[in-house]
Amino acid sequence: MLATFFSSNTMLNIFSGKITSLLITVLCPFLLFPVCTKNKNTTYVPDLTIKKNLSDIELLDLVQKQTFQYFWDGAEPTSGAGRERFHVDNIYPENDKNTVATGATGFGLMAILSGIDRNYVSKKEGLDRLNKILDFLSRADRFHGAWPHWINGETGKVRPFGRKDNGGDLVETSFVAQALICIKEYYKNGTEAEKALAKKADELWKGIDFSWYRNGKNVLYWHWSPEYNWEMNFPVKGYNECLIMYVMAASSPTHTVPAEVYHEGWARGGKIKADFNLYGHHIPLDYQGAKNSVGPLFWAHYSYLGLNPKGLKDRYADYWENNVNQTLAIHDYCVANPKKFKGYGENSWGLTASYSVKGYAAHSLQEDYGVISPTAAISSIPYTPKESMKVIRHLYEDLGDKVWGKYGFYDAFSETDNWYPKRYLGIDQGPMVVMIENYRSGLLWKLFMGNKDVQNGLKKLDFQFTP
C-alpha cells in the first residue's frame, strides 16, 4: 500500500515498497510452524465467459463472487491469509508470491464473512478458513500487539517493508482490527464452535497496544521497530486513509487512548477542517499533500469498510458528504479529462493507489498518468451507485478479457499506453468485495457499528452516528 501523500520524495520511496526491490532472506517454513494443509483449490472454476445483457444485480453478484475468490482460492496456502499480490504469469520480481499483506488480510477476513453470508462457500468451510487465518495471526510476529505491514505467509515472520520498517504497523493492524470486530459480532451468538471463533477474534483485537504507539504524545505513530524504535518518526495526522486507526484506539477496552490524541493529533487542533468546492462539490476536510484538492479514492474506502459513513459526523466533517463529494470530484475530473487520456469518461473513471505504467502510484488529481484502477469506482459504489455501475458494465462487456480474469478485474490498465497487466493486489481486491456487500446489504457496516466497544469509542470522540 502506498500509505499516503508525502511532502518528501525520500518518505515516498521508503513507504512505496512496491517500487524499490527489497533484499529478503526467506526463512525455512518449518522453523516456526508445523506443516499445514494447503488450501483446496480444485473445485474453483473461474467464469471467464463474458455474458451480455446481465441485469445490474446479476452483474454485481458476479463481480463480487469472482473477486471474493482472490481471498479464497487465491489465498496464501499455508496461512490462508490475503496475499500481497497475485500475478497470473507467475513472475514475481521481488520473490514475494507468499508474502501476506496485513491490510489485505483484514480486508480479506471481511470479504470471507460476505462470502459466507452469500453462500459462496459453506458455513463450515468459512468457519474453518477463518480459524486458520486467526490461528496464523496469533502465531505471527507482533510488536506491542501490532502486526507488521508484510508477513511471510509460510513462517509468520516479519518481512520488512523498508529498511527500518521491520516492526509494528499500526495502520495495517487497524484494518485487521476492523475485521476482527466484525467476526466477533457475526459469530458471538452462534454455535459453540462459532462462539469460540468470536472469542479468538476478540482476544486478538484486545491484544493491540494502541497506547504504546502514542510514543508519549497526543498523536498515534504509524510504526515502531524493535531494532530502530521510533526512527521512522511518522506521527499520523489527517486527513488520509487512517481515520479507522484513531477510532480503534479510542474504542480499545484494554489499551485505549484519550480523546485528546484524536483532536490534537489526527485533527491537528482543528486544522484538519477545510471549506472549498472542487468540480462543484463541497469538500470539508484538508487532505494531506493535496491542498484544496482531494487524495486517491482509497481514502474513501479503507476506513469505511466497517465504519459506516452514513450519518457519521463530528466537529470536523460530515463523512458521508466528504466521501460522496470526493468520489464525485474524481468522477467529474475524469469525465472532463483535462490531460486528454484515451478512454477516460463517464464509463471509465477512478483514480487510486494501484499498479501503474510508472511502477506503483497513488493516482489522483495531482498524480494522473492515464491509469484507471477498477477498484476506485467499484469500491465507491455505496457513494455513486449509478456512476459505478456504468464502469462495471463497461469494463466487463466492452473491455472484457483485457481487464477481467479469474479473480475479477485486474488491478489497473491504461488505454493510452495499451497497458493491460494481468496482475492483482490484495488491498485493491478486498474493498471491492466489502463495499459491494455494504451497498447490497450493509452487512459489514451493521456488524462493526453494532459493537459496544466501537460505540463507546465513537462517543468518546464526540461522533454522531447511527448504531
Side-chain angles (χ1 to χ4, degrees):
M1 177 187 70
L2 186 60
T4 184
F5 287 159
F6 303 100
S7 58
S8 163
N9 288 334
T10 300
M11 291 298 289
L12 177 61
N13 289 333
I14 288 173
F15 294 106
S16 184
K18 300 174 184 67
I19 300 174
T20 305
S21 294
L22 300 174
L23 298 177
I24 301 299
T25 299
V26 180
L27 300 178
C28 173
F30 308 110
L31 291 179
L32 180 63
F33 296 133
V35 176
C36 297
T37 302
K38 301 296 183 180
N39 296 336
K40 296 179 180 179
N41 299 327
T42 55
T43 59
Y44 173 59
V45 179
D47 188 350
L48 301 179
T49 304
I50 303 300
K51 304 177 183 67
K52 301 288 185 177
N53 302 316
L54 292 175
S55 68
D56 282 355
I57 194 61
E58 288 172 333
L59 179 55
L60 202 57
D61 190 68
L62 174 62
V63 171
Q64 183 179 356
K65 187 174 184 179
Q66 199 137 320
T67 309
F68 157 81
Q69 287 293 341
Y70 182 91
F71 300 99
W72 193 258
D73 175 79
E76 195 286 314
T78 304
S79 64
R83 279 189 169 112
E84 162 69 11
R85 65 189 84 232
F86 183 87
H87 296 172
V88 175
D89 59 13
N90 205 35
I91 296 173
Y92 294 87
E94 294 181 15
N95 190 32
D96 57 356
K97 183 176 183 179
N98 291 323
T99 295
V100 164
T102 296
T105 295
F107 302 161
L109 289 168
M110 299 174 84
I112 290 170
L113 283 179
S114 168
I116 295 167
D117 209 62
R118 292 207 170 270
N119 297 313
Y120 296 161
V121 294
S122 72
K123 292 186 181 299
K124 183 182 184 307
E125 288 173 318
L127 189 71
D128 289 347
R129 178 65 67 85
L130 291 174
N131 266 309
K132 179 176 182 176
I133 298 170
L134 266 55
D135 287 344
F136 169 78
L137 290 173
S138 71
R139 297 189 300 259
D141 281 349
R142 298 179 79 176
F143 305 89
H144 294 278
W147 290 278
H149 189 117
W150 281 342
I151 307 172
N152 184 316
E154 296 178 334
T155 67
K157 304 299 291 183
V158 58
R159 175 178 179 176
F161 189 64
R163 188 174 70 84
K164 294 183 179 181
D165 193 354
N166 63 349
D169 184 315
L170 196 62
V171 175
E172 300 290 310
T173 293
S174 296
F175 298 146
V176 173
Q178 188 174 210
L180 293 172
I181 285 174
C182 291
I183 292 171
K184 176 192 174 181
E185 293 298 316
Y186 193 77
Y187 286 111
K188 67 181 182 181
N189 297 319
T191 65
E192 290 305 309
E194 291 170 343
K195 289 178 181 177
L197 177 62
K199 183 174 183 290
K200 190 182 299 184
D202 194 46
E203 289 173 350
L204 285 170
W205 138 243
K206 290 177 178 176
I208 303 167
D209 191 350
F210 291 95
S211 59
W212 169 266
Y213 284 84
R214 289 177 64 185
N215 189 20
K217 304 177 180 66
N218 280 342
V219 69
L220 290 173
Y221 280 74
W222 199 305
H223 316 90
W224 179 81
S225 161
E227 184 177 359
Y228 299 101
N229 293 295
W230 303 103
E231 287 185 29
M232 293 194 70
N233 193 31
F234 196 166
V236 181
K237 300 178 181 181
Y239 181 74
N240 50 42
E241 78 273 31
C242 303
L243 174 62
I244 191 65
M245 178 175 66
Y246 280 87
V247 172
M248 294 286 84
S251 301
S252 172
T254 50
H255 304 285
T256 195
V257 302
E260 289 78 12
V261 173
Y262 176 75
H263 296 297
E264 295 177 20
W266 169 258
R268 298 182 272 141
K271 292 180 181 178
I272 194 174
K273 291 182 69 173
D275 183 13
F276 64 93
N277 289 323
L278 188 62
Y279 285 89
H281 306 289
H282 178 245
I283 306 298
L285 292 172
D286 180 48
Y287 284 64
Q288 287 283 0
K291 195 69 177 177
N292 293 323
S293 189
V294 293
L297 272 170
F298 74 90
W299 291 10
H301 304 151
Y302 290 2
S303 281
Y304 305 98
L305 301 183
L307 183 65
N308 188 352
K310 289 183 178 179
L312 185 71
K313 303 176 184 178
D314 67 1
R315 67 188 71 169
Y316 311 111
D318 177 324
Y319 291 89
W320 183 255
E321 176 199 27
N322 180 72
N323 294 357
V324 169
N325 287 351
Q326 179 195 0
T327 308
L328 287 172
I330 289 178
H331 167 274
D332 290 357
Y333 165 86
C334 290
V335 172
N337 193 14
K339 293 187 177 182
K340 307 302 179 185
F341 288 121
K342 182 179 179 181
Y344 276 33
E346 64 178 12
N347 294 326
S348 187
W349 59 272
L351 305 176
T352 194
S354 70
Y355 277 123
S356 179
V357 291
K358 294 183 179 291
Y360 182 84
H363 306 110
S364 66
L365 275 62
Q366 296 75 39
E367 193 172 351
D368 181 12
Y369 304 129
V371 172
I372 295 295
S373 312
T375 187
I378 297 172
S379 299
S380 297
I381 194 165
Y383 311 131
T384 51
K386 292 180 180 179
E387 294 87 346
S388 294
M389 276 307 306
K390 287 181 180 179
V391 173
I392 293 172
R393 192 166 293 280
H394 169 66
L395 296 180
Y396 180 74
E397 293 186 348
D398 300 331
L399 296 184
D401 60 8
K402 283 186 175 182
V403 299
W404 176 256
K406 64 186 297 186
Y407 300 139
F409 295 115
Y410 299 122
D411 191 58
F413 66 93
S414 171
E415 292 190 59
T416 297
D417 290 287
N418 195 31
W419 178 76
Y420 300 93
K422 297 184 184 306
R423 296 185 169 187
Y424 297 100
L425 287 175
I427 54 168
D428 289 340
Q429 298 307 106
M432 286 192 278
V433 181
V434 176
M435 288 303 242
I436 289 173
E437 185 59 54
N438 280 331
Y439 171 67
R440 296 178 71 182
S441 73
L443 174 66
L444 288 313
W445 284 343
K446 292 173 186 175
L447 292 171
F448 185 81
M449 300 301 286
N451 179 266
K452 296 301 181 184
D453 291 336
V454 170
Q455 293 173 14
N456 291 337
L458 289 171
K459 289 174 183 175
K460 179 193 290 189
L461 301 181
D462 291 333
F463 274 92
Q464 300 174 41
F465 63 97
T466 303

